[in-house]
Amino acid sequence: MIKRVRSWWNGAEKQETLTISEDNIPQHVAIIMDGNGRWAKRLGLPRIAGHQNGMKAVKRATIAADELGIKYLTMYAFSTENWTRPKEEVDFLMRLPQEFLAIELDELIEKNVRIRMMGQEEKLPSHTVNALREAIRLTEHNTGLVLNFAMNYGSRREMTDCVKQIALQVQSGELSAEDITPELIDQHMLTVDMPDPDLLIRTSGELRLSNFMLWQLAYSELWFTDIYWPEFGKQHLLEAVAEYQRRTRRYGGLK
């Protein structure tokens, strides 16, 4: 089935009719939510105002993904490198999951969304961890969209931990070097029970991966937009999915 959706962005400067096929919706979409601070600066607001409005964009993206039939949505919320930011900003970012879930969790439960988190709990404040754990507990039996927050996450740390775990198994005799395969590595990743992302979206015009899911993004389609994250809405997700559907995924082959 084909859906035609008229998309508006950049005010009234550009209009395009998007063609969305319900038979080719990406199963897993990952998003690098970038540009909160620059959005706020452009408007003469403090950076934390950008993060506050970015939280609203998380809800818009989640609802839009659910309506489209996307099964997994991974949001890069806080990286292992973000600790170098000013303490006031970090403290504010650490309060956002608690605030977001306090406001939105009931509606997410109603929509059958399942919350999960990937990343290292160490260093995260107890109020952040407790809010996420409670949301995970309350939604663990939901069967709809999986909303996966990458918190205190870094792909190099993830891969380093994976190598250490496998090395210990080899050292103990549980595994041999010949047993190490891409499939085995998958089983030691934080996304063990999730498919690799079909589509990566990054906002704000930056063209890099920033230590995000480097193993899992090996064959993902990449879509970049100049839109700052607080501006991101359903129409931008539709635009990204429409572009995804226009591409042919070859996985290194010639088909």
Side-chain angles (χ1 to χ4, degrees):
M1 184 180 294
I2 300 293
K3 282 187 177 180
R4 295 189 182 276
V5 183
R6 186 170 301 279
S7 175
W8 290 267
W9 67 94
N10 293 336
E13 295 176 5
K14 186 173 182 180
Q15 295 186 22
E16 179 178 329
T17 299
L18 304 176
T19 300
I20 304 291
S21 169
E22 294 181 351
D23 299 325
N24 187 24
I25 299 296
Q27 187 177 14
H28 185 177
V29 174
I31 302 181
I32 299 176
M33 305 178 289
D34 196 16
N36 289 344
R38 279 167 284 170
W39 176 85
K41 182 179 179 181
R42 186 182 66 186
L43 296 177
L45 300 171
R47 287 179 60 85
I48 59 174
H51 297 310
Q52 188 78 44
N53 282 273
M55 186 174 68
K56 298 176 183 177
V58 170
K59 180 181 180 180
R60 292 196 299 268
T62 300
I63 292 174
D66 184 50
E67 291 175 350
L68 271 176
I70 291 166
K71 301 300 184 185
Y72 300 87
L73 182 64
T74 295
M75 314 291 262
Y76 203 8
F78 193 87
S79 77
T80 50
E81 289 73 39
N82 287 156
W83 294 107
T84 61
R85 295 187 177 190
K87 185 179 183 303
E88 179 184 3
E89 182 175 350
V90 170
D91 289 345
F92 184 83
L93 288 168
M94 289 297 106
R95 291 195 299 271
L96 281 182
Q98 185 178 16
E99 182 178 341
F100 174 79
L101 293 168
I103 297 170
E104 309 296 352
L105 186 57
D106 286 345
E107 183 175 350
L108 294 176
I109 291 173
E110 182 180 333
K111 290 183 177 296
N112 199 28
V113 171
R114 180 184 171 193
I115 306 292
R116 61 170 290 171
M117 171 200 155
M118 69 176 188
Q120 309 299 324
E121 287 191 359
E122 69 227 35
K123 292 183 70 174
L124 292 176
S126 59
H127 60 82
T128 305
V129 173
N130 291 339
L132 287 165
R133 284 181 177 175
E134 180 68 0
I136 290 167
R137 183 186 69 80
L138 291 172
T139 63
E140 62 182 338
H141 299 300
N142 289 356
T143 57
L145 170 75
V146 174
L147 177 57
N148 180 37
F149 290 105
M151 286 288 298
N152 195 24
Y153 171 84
S155 188
R156 288 186 172 184
R157 168 68 185 269
E158 178 186 26
M159 289 190 285
T160 299
D161 289 346
C162 169
V163 171
K164 287 179 178 179
Q165 292 167 18
I166 293 175
L168 288 172
Q169 289 178 293
V170 173
Q171 189 178 44
S172 69
E174 187 178 344
L175 293 175
S176 68
E178 289 71 27
D179 293 324
I180 302 174
T181 63
E183 292 74 23
L184 178 69
I185 293 172
D186 280 338
Q187 292 301 308
H188 287 79
M189 288 290 174
L190 297 174
T191 51
V192 57
D193 55 349
M194 300 171 63
D196 290 341
D198 301 294
L199 172 65
L200 170 75
I201 295 170
R202 180 166 189 157
T203 57
S204 87
E206 302 293 348
L207 307 178
R208 55 180 178 268
L209 298 181
S210 296
N211 196 22
F212 184 52
M213 301 182 80
L214 301 178
W215 173 267
Q216 297 90 338
L217 291 172
Y219 286 104
S220 303
E221 295 298 321
L222 311 182
W223 188 82
F224 300 100
T225 176
D226 290 335
I227 292 293
Y228 293 136
W229 177 246
E231 302 169 318
F232 193 88
K234 180 178 181 178
Q235 71 273 19
H236 303 109
L237 182 62
L238 289 170
E239 184 185 351
V241 170
E243 174 60 27
Y244 167 84
Q245 293 185 346
R246 284 193 287 265
R247 301 180 187 178
T248 300
R249 304 183 75 191
R250 297 185 176 85
Y251 299 96
L254 299 177
K255 63 179 179 179

